[in-house]
Structures are given as structure tokens and as C-alpha cells.
Amino acid sequence: MSAGADMDSAGIELDQSTVSAQAWGAGSGTGRAAKLKQRLPTFSFLEKAARRRIPGFAFDFVDGGTGEHLAAACNRNALDAVQIIPRYGASAVVNTEIELFGRRYASPIGIAPVGVDGLVWPGATQLLAKAAQRARIPYITGTLASGSLEEVARLCPDNVWLQLYGLPRDEHRVTFDLIRRAEDCGVHVLVATLDAPVRAKRPRDLHNGLIVPFRMTPRTVWQVAMSRHWAQALLKNGAPGFPNIERYVGGGSGMAATAGFVQREIKGTFDWETLARMRDAWPRALVVKGVLHPDDAERAISLGIDGVLVSNHGGRQSEAAPPSIDMLPSIARVVGARATVLFDSGIRSGLDIARAMALGAHGTFCGRAFLYGLAALGSEGPDHVAQLLDDELRTALAQNGAYNCAQLRSAAVRHPAAWQA
Ligand SMILES: Cc1cc2nc3c(=O)[nH]c(=O)nc-3n(C[C@H](O)[C@H](O)[C@H](O)COP(=O)(O)O)c2cc1C
């Protein structure tokens, strides 16, 4: 695999996806998409709509972080504190296309992996896959997604990536079978999550009874009854399961048995030895997700890993973890041109994407933004979020005198909380 810094989009030809940054603005265009841009113009509007439209336990599942929610809040504050010093005199025509691992994408916006996404919106996996294919952006489907990786690969053949959690029993027999399936169905990039070695305490889920086995209470039944659209989607798509895992559970398996298997067998991390074996077994690009220390990035590169996703899991694992944006510059420095640097945790706007790119990311991913889109708008949600983030990114590029993402990476940035080794 070639290294990240060589894969950027400097000097690419302008094509149909290249529009003037002026295209974004209140009232631009007609039709449904334009109406949504006016009614739900930012993440905050989507979040409010989401809260009203899905059951409280489902909203809490998405929104909640670990502990007192401090790490999730810190991600936000840290991103807000990053300032880009604008330069002027460049063309106002911008292009958001990028190249990652030899493949072109329309924008440096990807959909992060989400387990049990069908709880947020029944049918979520399929909707996210279709939207990613339409928008030409990467979609990392999860080991614990509510749709199978084979189905996602059919719906999103050009942009499908797969996230893996470790299943260590029997020398990772299941992990390596998932890798084989991923290769068979054309997954482009494998993403191994490192940052969930233990099940984090998420107080809101505990309070809502969102534990295995899940039991409905009068309160949860009431919440579902009050969420008409969500309940209709549930009737249409059924309760979320773990289709990637079901075949490994063994005879007589039902939902309870599968959930028990997931609870027992899945470990949300890999040791370096297993990563080295994965490197040998997987012929395409391999990324590790959840890297926060430059030394871990260095170790990953020494194993031949192609990319590091700098992430603190959206503040859902360790409350003491630093905001991932504060670790991004030192990791990007250590990695240099040897691998691709990706970023997530806290992105709420195209401006946040511009901030991450200016601090060294080649591409970014969003979890909650797409989930709130689904919750607020159902099937229309992921398209709206992708469009909204891309429009905002174009504005940020033009405002900061960059005509493509590569130029943004050399912008002058003020980032006082950046971690120094
Ligand atoms: C509801 C939910 C479920 C998630 N499930 C997974 C998962 O199964 N595997 C994983 O690697 N990350 C998972 N994540 C973390 C995301 O992939 C991503 O790192 C995080 O959402 C980024 O932060 P953001 O939500 O602020 O964009 C999950 C995040 C959320 C919100």
C-alpha cells in the first residue's frame, strides 16, 4: 500500500462534484433536499429533532458517553478551540475529493462503525450503506452492525470497509473467518478496533435497562408507543440482531443465545501479535482504530499497518482519555508519509472536518452525526448529513483560501491544547 501523504488530492481535475462554495446558503435550490437544508441546517437542529423522534433509551444509547460524559464533552470543547487562520486570494471554486488507499471518494467524510445501529433506527445498516454508495463516501460497517457485511457489500460495493472487534477464542478462529468473508465479498479496508478492551460503564444505558438480556419495562413500552415513526420502522425491519455473528453461535441459537455469545466472546481489542497475523492474512489496506498515543501509531506502522484512526471512541470508553483532536498533530507528525491518518470523535460540522484536516488528517469519520440524521429523518437522514457536512466543508475550504483538502493540510492553525511529546 502506498503511504498517506502521497495519496492526497492536490492538483486534481475539477469535475461535476466541484461546485462553487456559494452553492451553500439559506434558500439555495428547490425541492426536498433544499427544504431540509433550511429546516435542519446544522447538527444541533438534527440532535433536537432526533431526541423528539426516537424512544428515550435509543437516544441515550447514541448520545451517552462513559461515566459522567466528560470525555464526550471534552471532544467538543477541544474541537471548538482549534482556530484556522484564513488566507485569501485563492479561487472560490473548491473540490472536496480525496483519495484513500488507492480509491477516490467525493469527500473526506466517512460513516464510523456503530454496533447495534438498528436500535437507533431499525434498518439503519442498510440505509447507511445505500447513502454511502450514493454520496461516494466510505462506510465502515461494524462487526456488531444490524445488517450483514455481505448485504452491505452488495448495497455499497464501491465504499465498504469493515470494522472488527476481536473474538479471541480458539486462536481467533471467528476473527479470521470474518476476514475471509470480508475478502470474499469485496471489502476494501479492514479496521481493527483497539480501544474497547473492557466493557465501559455507560450509566444511561444501565439506568434504561439496556443490558443483555434486554427486557421491556412499562417505561420502555411507553417510549416506543410515543415514537410512531420509529415503531413503524421496527415493524418493517424487525428487532436488531447480530447477523455477522449468528452463524458462529451454534445450534438452537435465537436472539438471546446470540446476544449471550456476543457478551461472552467479543473483546473490543487486539494484541500486537494478532494484528501481525491479521496483516499476513489480509491483502488489502488495514487500519487500527482508537489510537491516541504516537508510540502506538509507531508500533502499528512497524507491523505494516496502512492507517491509524485517531479516536477516543466518541468519549464512550475512557473518561480520562484526551480529546482525540489534541492527540492528532503529534500522531500525524510521527506517522509522516508512512501511513494514512484518519480521525474521529466529536465532529459535528464541515468546519470540524476542516479543523481535523488542517491538523494532519487525510480523512475523517462521524458516528453520532449520521445516527442523529437517521433518528431525525429516517431514510432521508444519512443523505442529508453527508450533504450538510460536505456543503459546510466547501464553505470552510473557500473561507480559508484552500481549493482542495490537500491545501487545507498546510493551513496555519492555532491549537493551544495540542499534546506535545
Ligand atoms: C451508538 C454508538 C455505537 C458505536 N459502536 C461502535 C462499534 O461497534 N465499534 C467501534 O469501533 N466503534 C463504535 N462506536 C464509535 C464510533 O465508531 C466512533 O468512533 C465515534 O462515534 C466517533 O465519535 P462521534 O460520535 O462524536 O462522531 C460507536 C459509537 C456510537 C455513538
Side-chain angles (χ1 to χ4, degrees), residues 34 164 194:
L164 283 183
L194 301 185

Side-chain angles (χ1 to χ4, degrees), residues 43 58 60-64 72 75-76 79 111-117 120 140-145 163-165 191-196 202 268 289-290 309-316 324 343-348 365-372:
F43 177 91
D60 283 347
F61 169 64
V62 179
D63 193 55
N75 281 335
R76 258 320 322 148
L79 272 159
I111 304 176
V114 173
V116 208
D117 48 354
V120 185
I140 313 179
T141 194
T143 301
L144 300 181
Q163 174 264 338
L164 283 183
Y165 278 143
V191 179
T193 297
L194 301 185
D195 64 357
R202 310 227 174 96
K289 174 174 184 283
L309 204 170
V310 181
S311 166
N312 69 8
H313 216 103
R316 294 167 72 82
S324 45
F343 172 83
D344 81 24
S345 295
I347 289 180
R348 302 290 179 261
F365 287 84
C366 308
R368 293 185 183 88
F370 282 100
L371 297 175
Y372 289 144

